[in-house]
Amino acid sequence: MTAVYPISPAELFADVLSRFTSRDIVPHIVVGGLSQTQQNEGGVAIMDAGAGKTELYSPLLRPRMQLRCIAPTLAEVDVITRHVGLSLDAMPARVTAHQASTDEDYLLYFVNVSGGPSSHWDTEETWEGLLFADTMISTVPVTT
């Protein structure tokens, strides 16, 4: 049986993205869905993409995240998607990420953009660029 940990990879990703991307390019970063206002201003919606794994012999999770970059035009979505992808690629190999819901920090060992960008028309008002990212997270909170 696989262990279940009180960790939200999407919440940790939101923290990391908020620190490693520019608010001028990505005004909104949320877990779950963007509101219509946020979509109109541009942003990233983060969700678990499944296909994650729990390491059997070490305290690690290996989740896969879906990053939905949404903006009013294809040009804006391309800028947001590429900025997010390049920002994740440029991150250090190990960073701490804060999980606000439990007020704990966890160590992310790497982030690898594993898919995208793939752009498509979403609604009359928005376009979407989709990225997938894999990471490895310690299941033990960082203590100071």
Side-chain angles (χ1 to χ4, degrees):
M1 184 165 164
T2 303
V4 178
Y5 299 96
I7 296 172
S8 170
E11 193 175 348
L12 296 173
F13 251 79
D15 175 62
V16 167
L17 279 180
S18 70
R19 291 186 288 130
F20 287 91
T21 59
S22 167
R23 292 296 65 73
D24 292 335
I25 298 171
V26 187
H28 303 284
I29 297 170
V30 301
V31 174
L34 292 161
S35 70
Q36 191 62 49
T37 300
Q38 291 169 327
Q39 290 179 32
N40 293 338
E41 295 171 358
V44 179
I46 305 167
M47 291 166 255
D48 195 318
K53 298 179 174 112
T54 301
E55 295 292 331
L56 296 176
Y57 302 107
S58 57
L60 300 169
L61 295 176
R62 298 192 63 177
R64 185 171 191 235
M65 305 309 302
Q66 174 180 287
L67 309 169
R68 295 181 65 219
C69 304
I70 300 173
T73 68
L74 181 58
E76 289 174 276
V77 115
D78 281 347
V79 169
I80 291 171
T81 305
R82 282 173 175 55
H83 176 64
V84 168
L86 291 171
S87 297
L88 290 175
D89 281 343
M91 280 179 44
R94 289 182 295 273
V95 298
T96 57
H98 186 70
Q99 183 169 290
S101 64
T102 60
D103 197 30
E104 294 179 311
D105 295 324
Y106 291 91
L107 186 62
L108 274 67
Y109 286 94
F110 70 88
V111 175
N112 178 46
V113 177
S114 59
S118 65
S119 298
H120 70 276
W121 178 75
D122 197 34
T123 69
E124 290 291 334
E125 294 84 23
T126 61
W127 284 79
E128 177 183 318
L130 189 59
L131 291 172
F132 288 95
D134 297 295
T135 188
M136 186 163 50
I137 302 170
S138 172
T139 60
V140 178
V142 174
T143 56
T144 55

